[in-house]
Amino acid sequence: MITTVLIVDDDTDILFLYQKMLECIGVEVVGTALDGEEAVQIFKSFQRKPDIILMDHRMPKKNGLEATKEILSINNRVKIIFASADSSIEKEALSVGAISFKEKPFSIEKIKNNLLKAMNLNQ
Amino acid sequence: MGDMNIKLNKSIEKFKYITEKSLMGITILQDGELKYFNEKFIEICGYSAEEIKSWAPNGFSKFIYIEDRDFVMEQASKKQAGYPDVVNQYKFRIRRKDGKIRWVEIFSKTINYEGHPADLVTINDITDKINAEKELIESDEKYRNILENMMEGYFETDLSGKLLYANAEFCKISGFSREEMIGKDTRLIYDKESRKILSDLFNEVYNTGIPRPPSGLVKVRTIKKKLIYFEGSLDLLYDSEGNKVGFYGFVRDITQRKIAEQKLKESEEKFRYIADHSLLGITILQDGVLKYFNKKVAETYGVSEEEMKNWSPGQSLKLIHPDDLEFVKRQGLKMQSGESNDVFNYKYRIVKKDGKIEWREVFSKSIIYEGRPAGFGIHIDITEKIEAERKLKESEEKFRNITEQSLVGISIIQDGRYKYFNKRFCEMSGYSPEEINSWVSNEFAKVVHPDDRDFVMEQAFKKQVGDSDVVNQYSYRIIRKDGEIRWFEILSKTINYEGHPADLAMIIDITDKIKAERQLRDSEDKFSKAFNSNVLSMSISSFEDGKFIEVNDAFLNYVGHSREEVIGKTTDELGLWVSEKVRKRFIRLIDKHGSLFNIETKDIPRTGETKYGLVSYIKIMLNEKPFLLSILNNITPRKLAEQQLKESEEKFRYIADHSLLGITILQDGVFKYFNKKVAETFGGSEEEIENWGPGESIKFIHPDDRDLVIRQALKVQRGEFDDAVNYKYRIVKKDGKIGWRETFSKSIIYEGRPAGFGIHIDITEKIEAERKLKESREKYLRAYNQAEFYKDLFIHDINNTLQSLYSSTQLIDIDLEEDRKNNNINELIDIMYRQINRGINLISNVRKLSQLENHEISLKEIDFFDVLKQSIEFLKNTFQDRNIQIKYDISCENVPIIGNELLQDVFENILINSVRHNNNDCVEIVIKTSHVKQDDKSYCKLEIIDNGIGIEDERKKNVLNRADPDAKTTYGMGLGLSLVKKIIDSYGGKIWIEDKVEGEYSKGTKVILLIQKGGS
């Protein structure tokens, strides 16, 4: 089955670029959200939950940590990969349930490896 | 032959019949079997013939009584065997079939039966005979027993007088044993005279046949010299045929009674004589008549015996004193009626014939006189005794009164107990008379103090037994009932009290005396110590010539002489006065006034040192002669100390006066001391401060600090601060300048009362330096935090930008490499341009913020509407693809405001946000301007209202706060609205955010700016 991903970031350019990068890798982007609150709403709306969420931290309304906690409380099988330019929250992100933390900027290969690792964990 | 046989048979039948019908049981025993037995045998043993025949050999033994069985069986065996050594006749018991025990007697012998030896046994039942014999024996025994145990003597003799039987009592009366008398002539145990009496008596009975009656009395004497009075009977014994065969008799020994009667008679005579001649009156009164009276009674009543004998019943009562008559009468009747066996004793008065009244004491008792009750009385004349008792009582009362009223405790101890003690004794001991009387032997020891108890008890004991080795006077302590310890002095000696030695003690409470003595001794000791040990020099010298009679060590030390050098010498000899003339002048003054006090002296005594003294002279009288008591206080050390103190004070006053610190002593709200520095502190002159009234200094204290300073000043003046306390406060100097002071204050005693000692330091410069340092620190901290914040924002946003650029570049590479037709290259290049611009803006914004922080951009008057127009132009160029409708409501066109070139950034940021955060197809922006005045300042008010997504209430303030993490994500590189606020702040203006429609943030946002107008 194709791996499904939800992308969360308040920067529309980055959302666009992530989609393109993930398409190259062969992963299906099932949704995007511009802030943490929207991410929670979209996640709730999914009948079939995405396998992975690529999560930014500094966002309006609800930040990445708050959104992660809420999403995992709804479904703790989803794998959340933090992708943030703020490396100071790495420990906190892992402690609230993220499986890995990627500091911006990173390459397509790096994100691909992370997704594969996440999928192996899933299997 | 035939006849013979017939005869033989007849004979056999006849003998058979005889044996069969014999009255004795007959049996033949052979080989243990009863070969023959007759009917009587069957009857005796109680078994049937069949039963007997069925017995096994020797089975007959079972009817022999077990205790006799061995003997009977042995004899039967021997006789069956034909042994010669056998007993042919004997008695034994059998047990019949019915279980009854019977006595039998047998006669048996060995016979030849049917050619063999056999035992022929004739058996007779003798049970009845045996029983009769037994009864006879028992009867005889009983009869003998009665005779033996009779209280009367019994004897039997034959006609010749030979004693046949005598019972135990007879033996006892006669004094001879049965063996000595039985078979002998009874008369031989008596003396010659008695034998004749007894022979006559026996002969009389024999001859007359008349028995002597039981009351017959005979007086005899045995050969053992025993006198016996017999009373008893004598009669003849007859045999069954009526022949006289002997005598028998019963006798009673009445010797004792006879002797007693004799003695009584003698006694009666003796006592009658005694009674008749008694010195006590004796009477027997019966039926009111004096049945007996002795001479003494007649004398007692003063009447003759003849007169008394003729007295009619009751006449004796006429002599009884009327007051005692009823009582005596009652006693007399009681005695005569025999109501009581007790002796009654009473006293009464009689009135003699001559009218004289005398006292009598009677001991009376009921007696039986001539078979009837009577009153026996012994009368004693106790007139003299009563008189003596009365006098004794009077005397005793007199002395008792004296002892009872005595101030000395008096007691008599005998046998370890107080036999007498007076009232004072009770008071002294604290115990009640009942308590003292209840003390057991020697219990009084508990009252004596334990330390003195052994001695006191020893002395008391010795005096109670009359020991001569005693101490008659000594002191000791007692413990009163209430626990108080008192000293007693005792004077005691042995006396004879009620016939026995006793300890008479006179006790005086000497506690107060001892206390007084002790106080006197203490006082003497105290005054002696006070004189000899006094640090003041003391001397006593004669008025007349100044000769010393007593001096103390301090005096000797002061004058530098030994005691021997001083005592007996005059002041003149010792050179202690300037001259004898001067001394005499002083003596006159002292004599006149009695004393002179505190005269300061300066002497150079023998030691050569200069000494200062304060001397007082007092005239005292010793043995009626005047003496001079001089008391000198050596004040040399004090004088020297005062000098040193003065020097020290001068030194320290100089130091204090010239100190660089302010020094004060505050008492009663007034500066009792202050130095120059204090005057300088307040900016006034020393004269001014000296003239301050109580509390006036407070006017120089800053109003905000006055409470603190007053509180501290009051506490320190009250003596509450033993340890130094410090506090800071502001003062307002005379010229109005405010300065800071730090005061270290402590409670001290100044001139005998609490005061506040204060050291005041001018810390104005220090405080100012601290304030600046604090400001600097805060500024630095603010700058550091800001730098950290910018760094964080910068890194974050630049990394985001770089992520876009990196990803775009990689995707372009992929597109080019794969040579895809539907590639995204153009789109990706647009992103790259956009991100590069964002980076440029970020750097620009950070630089502008930094300039604002450092105040590098100066303010000037600018036309705010021009700047607004340029910003709108920029917005439209930036968002050419968006439908943007802008409406104006401008009322302050061409009005200069205070600002700079950054105002355009303010407008652009707000407008870009209105478009960016707006999802409507048509972005509607309304721009309103107006004039407002606040805090006496004129502002141009600008409102930018959009129809965007709006901002929640809780975020409205935060988006303007640069520390708000959410602000970092705001478009415009995260610094947009923070920068806007910073710029407006730097203009002295204000900025805030409201909802376009109040309470409905999602309808749009209203940003309001107040910017100061220029030109004013």
Side-chain angles (χ1 to χ4, degrees):
Chain A
M1 280 178 67
I2 297 170
T3 303
T4 54
V5 179
L6 168 67
I7 308 167
V8 186
D9 202 301
D10 62 337
D11 189 325
T12 50
D13 287 346
I14 285 178
L15 280 181
F16 175 78
L17 293 166
Y18 280 174
Q19 281 189 74
K20 294 299 169 191
M21 285 162 75
L22 295 177
E23 280 170 16
C24 292
I25 295 165
V27 174
E28 185 187 356
V29 175
V30 292
T32 60
L34 277 164
D35 55 60
E37 195 172 289
E38 191 182 359
V40 174
Q41 294 304 323
I42 290 174
F43 184 79
K44 280 181 182 172
S45 68
F46 284 131
Q47 282 290 324
R48 182 173 169 257
K49 305 296 180 193
D51 300 314
I52 295 165
I53 298 172
L54 202 57
M55 180 76 78
D56 187 18
H57 173 57
R58 288 189 189 174
M59 294 180 291
K61 297 184 182 175
K62 200 168 273 176
N63 65 30
L65 291 170
E66 291 163 344
T68 298
K69 281 191 252 181
E70 211 166 316
I71 288 166
L72 287 175
S73 72
I74 298 163
N75 185 327
N76 63 1
R77 292 174 63 83
V78 65
K79 304 289 180 286
I80 296 174
I81 298 169
F82 259 73
S84 171
D86 183 0
S87 62
S88 67
I89 54 100
E90 180 175 355
K91 273 190 179 175
E92 207 176 344
L94 295 174
S95 72
V96 299
I99 61 159
S100 63
F101 183 91
K102 288 311 302 166
E103 186 183 358
K104 292 175 183 172
F106 49 80
S107 64
I108 292 173
E109 290 74 26
K110 282 268 173 71
I111 195 70
K112 184 181 176 184
N113 285 339
N114 270 274
L115 289 168
L116 286 173
K117 271 185 191 171
M119 289 318 297
N120 285 338
L121 277 175
N122 215 19
Q123 286 159 10
Chain B
M1 234 5 230
D3 289 341
M4 281 299 281
N5 284 337
I6 292 166
K7 284 181 179 175
L8 184 62
N9 285 336
K10 279 186 178 176
S11 176
I12 288 168
E13 277 180 11
K14 188 173 79 183
F15 282 109
K16 192 177 178 184
Y17 181 79
I18 290 166
T19 54
E20 280 299 312
K21 299 298 178 186
S22 174
L23 293 172
M24 297 179 77
I26 297 167
T27 182
I28 295 170
L29 185 63
Q30 190 177 55
D31 301 330
E33 291 178 5
L34 298 174
K35 291 291 174 86
Y36 171 77
F37 49 87
N38 65 357
E39 288 175 4
K40 190 65 180 180
F41 182 85
I42 291 167
E43 185 188 326
I44 289 168
C45 68
Y47 290 90
S48 69
E50 288 72 30
E51 284 171 328
I52 294 168
K53 282 175 186 170
S54 68
W55 286 347
N58 291 326
F60 66 90
S61 65
K62 68 180 179 187
F63 82 95
I64 300 167
Y65 187 63
I66 191 154
E67 285 182 12
D68 303 334
R69 193 174 293 163
D70 287 348
F71 176 77
V72 172
M73 290 305 286
E74 182 196 356
Q75 290 298 319
S77 296
K78 280 180 175 177
K79 285 166 190 164
Q80 287 174 79
Y83 288 166
D85 179 23
V86 292
V87 179
N88 291 325
Q89 182 184 355
Y90 56 89
K91 296 168 187 166
F92 67 95
R93 286 161 288 182
I94 61 164
R95 180 186 290 278
R96 282 166 54 84
K97 191 186 174 186
D98 57 11
K100 287 180 179 167
I101 308 295
R102 306 287 293 180
W103 276 96
V104 294
E105 186 176 29
I106 64 165
F107 302 91
S108 69
K109 61 181 281 193
T110 305
I111 61 165
N112 192 303
Y113 183 73
E114 293 178 350
H116 298 288
D119 182 11
L120 172 64
V121 180
T122 304
I123 186 165
N124 191 25
D125 187 335
I126 58 166
T127 306
D128 293 340
K129 183 184 161 196
I130 289 281
N131 287 343
E133 283 173 1
K134 199 174 162 188
E135 279 174 15
L136 186 65
I137 289 164
E138 281 174 3
S139 170
D140 192 54
E141 275 178 0
K142 195 167 131 190
Y143 164 71
R144 291 285 163 197
N145 211 21
I146 290 166
L147 285 177
E148 281 301 310
N149 292 293
M150 273 198 322
M151 297 303 289
E152 289 180 315
Y154 176 78
F155 67 93
E156 289 175 9
T157 66
D158 61 12
L159 291 173
S160 66
K162 193 191 288 176
L163 190 69
L164 300 175
Y165 173 76
N167 72 354
E169 183 63 17
F170 186 84
C171 294
K172 188 180 163 191
I173 293 168
S174 64
F176 289 87
S177 68
R178 203 170 277 157
E179 289 72 31
E180 285 175 310
M181 295 187 292
I182 298 293
K184 292 173 185 165
D185 188 339
T186 322
R187 291 165 295 187
L188 294 177
I189 64 169
Y190 304 104
D191 64 8
K192 195 177 173 184
E193 193 180 340
S194 301
R195 279 181 211 161
K196 189 175 180 304
I197 295 167
L198 289 171
S199 291
D200 292 346
L201 190 64
F202 276 72
N203 285 333
E204 186 188 339
V205 171
Y206 181 81
N207 292 330
T208 62
I210 301 167
R212 186 176 168 80
S215 56
L217 180 70
V218 178
K219 179 185 172 189
V220 293
R221 192 178 295 274
T222 69
I223 55 174
K224 291 181 182 176
K225 310 287 186 195
K226 186 181 178 187
L227 178 69
I228 305 168
Y229 285 92
F230 281 137
E231 186 184 64
S233 60
L234 182 66
D235 198 2
L236 284 163
L237 277 172
Y238 297 93
D239 62 12
S240 54
E241 292 170 354
N243 299 315
K244 297 173 185 169
V245 291
F247 297 94
Y248 75 95
F250 291 93
V251 292
R252 275 192 302 278
D253 184 354
I254 59 165
T255 313
Q256 292 303 321
R257 194 181 85 199
K258 276 289 175 189
I259 291 169
E261 282 173 2
Q262 185 67 33
K263 281 183 179 172
L264 182 65
K265 192 180 172 190
E266 288 168 7
S267 172
E268 198 175 305
E269 282 169 2
K270 186 170 75 186
F271 283 109
R272 175 169 281 277
Y273 181 84
I274 290 167
D276 287 347
H277 297 86
S278 174
L279 294 173
L280 307 173
I282 297 169
T283 57
I284 294 173
L285 184 65
Q286 195 175 52
D287 304 328
V289 175
L290 287 171
K291 292 290 175 84
Y292 171 78
F293 61 89
N294 62 0
K295 281 182 185 171
K296 194 68 186 175
V297 175
E299 282 174 27
T300 294
Y301 290 127
V303 291
S304 70
E305 288 178 68
E306 285 65 36
E307 273 183 281
M308 282 186 74
K309 280 176 186 169
N310 294 323
W311 276 355
S312 57
Q315 195 173 352
S316 59
L317 293 172
K318 285 181 180 172
L319 293 173
I320 308 300
H321 190 285
D323 292 349
D324 300 335
L325 183 60
E326 270 309 306
F327 176 74
V328 173
K329 200 172 168 183
R330 202 162 53 247
Q331 292 300 319
L333 287 171
K334 204 187 280 180
M335 289 302 108
Q336 289 176 80
S337 69
E339 278 179 20
S340 172
N341 284 324
D342 296 330
V343 175
F344 286 90
N345 165 236
Y346 55 93
K347 291 166 187 166
Y348 64 96
R349 283 159 291 179
I350 61 163
V351 184
K352 292 178 82 172
K353 228 176 163 184
D354 58 5
K356 207 172 163 189
I357 294 171
E358 287 188 353
W359 277 91
R360 297 290 180 270
E361 183 170 12
V362 173
F363 294 87
S364 67
K365 189 177 186 304
S366 287
I367 60 166
I368 298 297
Y369 184 75
E370 294 177 347
R372 290 196 302 112
F376 174 76
I378 292 174
H379 308 263
I380 307 165
D381 182 349
I382 56 166
T383 310
E384 286 180 7
K385 184 186 160 198
I386 290 282
E387 184 62 18
E389 278 178 357
R390 188 187 59 75
K391 284 179 181 170
L392 182 66
K393 197 177 169 189
E394 278 178 12
S395 168
E396 203 175 282
E397 273 175 7
K398 189 169 78 187
F399 284 107
R400 180 173 286 277
N401 211 25
I402 291 166
T403 55
E404 283 303 313
Q405 299 304 318
S406 175
L407 295 173
V408 175
I410 299 169
S411 68
I412 295 170
I413 306 172
Q414 194 176 54
D415 302 330
R417 298 190 63 167
Y418 281 103
K419 290 295 170 80
Y420 170 74
F421 48 86
N422 67 354
K423 195 177 163 190
R424 177 65 185 144
F425 181 84
C426 294
E427 289 167 4
M428 288 164 77
S429 68
Y431 287 92
S432 69
E434 291 74 25
E435 285 171 321
I436 295 171
N437 281 326
S438 72
W439 287 348
V440 296
S441 183
N442 292 322
E443 192 180 340
F444 69 87
K446 70 181 181 187
V447 180
V448 183
H449 191 284
D451 293 349
D452 302 332
R453 198 171 288 160
D454 287 348
F455 177 75
V456 172
M457 292 305 288
E458 183 195 353
Q459 290 300 317
F461 175 75
K462 281 181 171 179
K463 283 163 196 167
Q464 286 176 75
V465 297
D467 196 330
S468 58
D469 180 22
V470 291
V471 180
N472 289 325
Q473 184 173 358
Y474 56 88
S475 305
Y476 67 99
R477 284 160 292 179
I478 67 131
I479 304 165
R480 279 170 55 84
K481 192 186 175 188
D482 57 13
E484 189 190 355
I485 294 170
R486 306 284 297 176
W487 274 96
F488 282 5
E489 183 162 1
I490 186 167
L491 289 139
S492 65
K493 59 180 283 194
T494 302
I495 59 162
N496 191 301
Y497 183 76
E498 294 177 347
H500 302 287
D503 179 12
L504 168 66
M506 311 271 177
I507 302 158
I508 306 162
D509 189 332
I510 56 165
T511 312
D512 294 341
K513 185 182 150 199
I514 283 190
K515 270 187 191 167
E517 282 173 1
R518 191 177 293 149
Q519 280 171 355
L520 183 64
R521 206 163 47 241
D522 289 350
S523 174
E524 273 177 12
D525 196 37
K526 194 162 67 187
F527 284 113
S528 172
K529 275 184 188 160
F531 184 83
N532 289 318
S533 310
N534 209 308
V535 292
L536 301 175
S537 303
M538 297 173 90
S539 66
I540 301 171
S541 56
S542 74
F543 250 45
E544 192 184 347
D545 55 6
K547 191 180 281 178
F548 286 103
I549 62 161
E550 193 56 77
V551 295
N552 69 356
D553 290 346
F555 178 86
L556 296 171
N557 192 37
Y558 185 78
V559 298
H561 286 285
S562 69
R563 187 173 295 277
E564 291 71 29
E565 288 171 333
V566 173
I567 299 296
K569 299 281 173 24
T570 63
T571 50
D572 197 33
E573 284 172 324
L574 293 169
L576 296 177
W577 285 86
V578 175
S579 67
E580 181 62 9
K581 204 176 169 183
V582 174
R583 192 188 78 83
K584 291 278 188 195
R585 199 163 63 238
F586 263 86
I587 288 295
R588 278 196 295 279
L589 273 172
I590 295 161
D591 196 25
K592 187 180 175 187
H593 297 290
S595 58
L596 287 176
F597 289 104
N598 292 331
I599 297 158
E600 192 163 333
T601 63
K602 184 180 179 186
D603 301 317
I604 304 172
R606 200 183 185 197
T607 54
E609 302 172 55
T610 302
K611 289 196 172 178
Y612 299 93
L614 270 181
V615 65
S616 298
Y617 298 106
I618 302 158
K619 179 188 172 185
I620 59 171
M621 297 300 288
L622 297 172
N623 293 327
E624 298 178 353
K625 282 185 180 173
F627 283 84
L628 178 67
L629 168 64
S630 65
I631 303 164
L632 184 139
N633 185 9
N634 183 2
I635 58 168
T636 311
R638 195 184 86 196
K639 278 277 179 188
L640 293 175
E642 279 174 3
Q643 271 179 9
Q644 284 173 349
L645 184 67
K646 195 177 169 191
E647 286 167 12
S648 170
E649 199 176 293
E650 279 171 5
K651 187 170 73 186
F652 285 109
R653 177 171 281 276
Y654 182 84
I655 292 168
D657 286 348
H658 296 85
S659 173
L660 294 173
L661 307 173
I663 297 170
T664 56
I665 294 173
L666 185 64
Q667 194 176 53
D668 304 329
V670 173
F671 285 125
K672 292 293 172 87
Y673 170 78
F674 61 91
N675 63 0
K676 280 183 185 171
K677 193 69 185 174
V678 174
E680 286 172 24
T681 297
F682 291 116
S685 69
E686 289 176 62
E687 288 70 31
E688 278 180 288
I689 295 174
E690 274 173 2
N691 292 325
W692 280 354
E696 201 175 338
S697 59
I698 205 68
K699 68 186 178 187
F700 286 95
I701 308 300
H702 190 284
D704 292 349
D705 297 336
R706 271 180 197 164
D707 282 350
L708 168 74
V709 174
I710 289 169
R711 201 163 55 243
Q712 295 295 329
L714 287 172
K715 280 184 179 177
V716 78
Q717 288 177 86
R718 281 200 297 261
E720 290 181 20
F721 296 146
D722 284 341
D723 298 321
V725 293
N726 72 307
Y727 52 96
K728 293 167 185 168
Y729 57 96
R730 284 159 291 180
I731 59 163
V732 184
K733 294 171 99 173
K734 213 177 169 190
D735 58 6
K737 280 185 182 170
I738 292 169
W740 277 90
R741 294 288 177 273
E742 183 168 15
T743 290
F744 293 81
S745 67
K746 185 179 187 302
S747 296
I748 59 165
I749 297 296
Y750 183 75
E751 294 178 347
R753 291 194 303 112
F757 174 76
I759 293 174
H760 312 273
I761 307 166
D762 184 345
I763 57 164
T764 310
E765 287 179 7
K766 185 185 159 200
I767 291 281
E768 185 60 20
E770 281 175 357
R771 188 188 60 75
K772 283 180 179 170
L773 183 66
K774 192 180 171 193
E775 273 180 16
S776 169
R777 193 179 292 131
E778 283 172 357
K779 190 174 161 189
Y780 167 76
L781 191 64
R782 206 163 49 241
Y784 173 80
N785 288 339
Q786 195 141 353
E788 280 295 301
F789 172 64
Y790 292 150
K791 188 179 86 181
D792 180 66
L793 263 184
F794 190 77
I795 290 168
H796 179 266
D797 288 7
I798 284 294
N799 275 342
N800 267 327
T801 304
L802 289 173
Q803 178 66 56
S804 297
L805 292 172
Y806 193 10
S807 298
S808 302
T809 311
Q810 275 199 308
L811 289 168
I812 289 169
D813 272 351
I814 291 166
D815 281 352
L816 290 174
E817 201 172 300
E818 293 178 1
D819 194 20
R820 282 191 264 179
K821 285 183 181 173
N822 295 324
N823 59 52
N824 302 300
I825 291 172
N826 288 334
E827 210 170 347
L828 292 169
I829 287 170
D830 285 347
I831 289 171
M832 287 170 77
Y833 275 121
R834 209 158 43 239
Q835 291 300 326
I836 288 165
N837 281 329
R838 284 174 68 180
I840 291 164
N841 281 337
L842 176 65
I843 291 164
S844 168
N845 283 344
V846 169
R847 191 177 65 241
K848 285 171 188 166
L849 280 167
S850 179
Q851 285 172 339
L852 281 170
E853 291 289 338
N854 297 325
H855 306 287
E856 288 174 7
I857 305 170
S858 58
L859 300 175
K860 56 188 177 190
E861 285 189 2
I862 55 171
D863 185 338
F864 117 89
F865 199 69
D866 272 357
V867 179
L868 181 62
K869 280 195 287 187
Q870 287 171 34
S871 298
I872 290 167
E873 192 64 32
F874 171 79
L875 180 74
K876 287 184 173 173
N877 287 333
T878 305
F879 297 101
Q880 289 176 9
D881 57 336
R882 299 291 298 267
N883 178 15
I884 301 169
Q885 295 291 323
I886 298 176
K887 292 180 181 172
Y888 300 95
D889 181 1
I890 306 294
S891 62
C892 52
E893 201 175 349
N894 299 322
V895 174
I897 53 108
I898 302 296
N900 54 26
E901 57 271 27
L902 293 179
L903 185 62
Q904 191 170 341
D905 289 279
V906 171
F907 293 153
E908 282 177 7
N909 263 294
I910 294 167
L911 291 168
I912 286 168
N913 278 340
S914 296
V915 177
R916 280 279 179 201
H917 301 289
N918 198 318
N919 298 327
N920 296 308
D921 291 340
C922 179
V923 176
E924 291 176 359
I925 298 171
V926 176
I927 297 171
K928 288 168 77 173
T929 64
S930 57
H931 300 277
V932 292
K933 215 166 184 181
Q934 274 188 9
D935 305 328
D936 294 333
K937 287 178 183 173
S938 295
Y939 294 93
C940 180
K941 184 180 180 184
L942 173 65
E943 294 169 76
I944 300 171
I945 306 156
D946 64 44
N947 61 341
I949 59 172
I951 302 170
E952 302 93 317
D953 286 345
E954 66 269 24
R955 292 182 66 239
K956 283 189 173 80
K957 274 187 182 175
N958 291 338
V959 294
L960 296 169
N961 190 333
R962 58 190 167 176
D964 181 14
D966 288 343
K968 296 172 193 171
T969 61
T970 308
Y971 200 79
M973 303 316 293
L975 283 175
L977 287 176
S978 297
L979 177 63
V980 167
K981 185 170 187 304
K982 193 77 187 170
I983 294 166
I984 297 299
D985 285 347
S986 72
Y987 295 168
K990 294 175 184 175
I991 177 170
W992 69 94
I993 299 167
E994 292 178 0
D995 294 331
K996 181 185 173 186
V997 178
E998 194 177 346
E1000 293 183 56
Y1001 80 91
S1002 61
K1003 293 279 175 70
T1005 305
K1006 185 197 283 183
V1007 179
I1008 300 139
L1009 300 164
L1010 291 182
I1011 304 170
Q1012 278 192 72
K1013 285 182 183 174
S1016 58

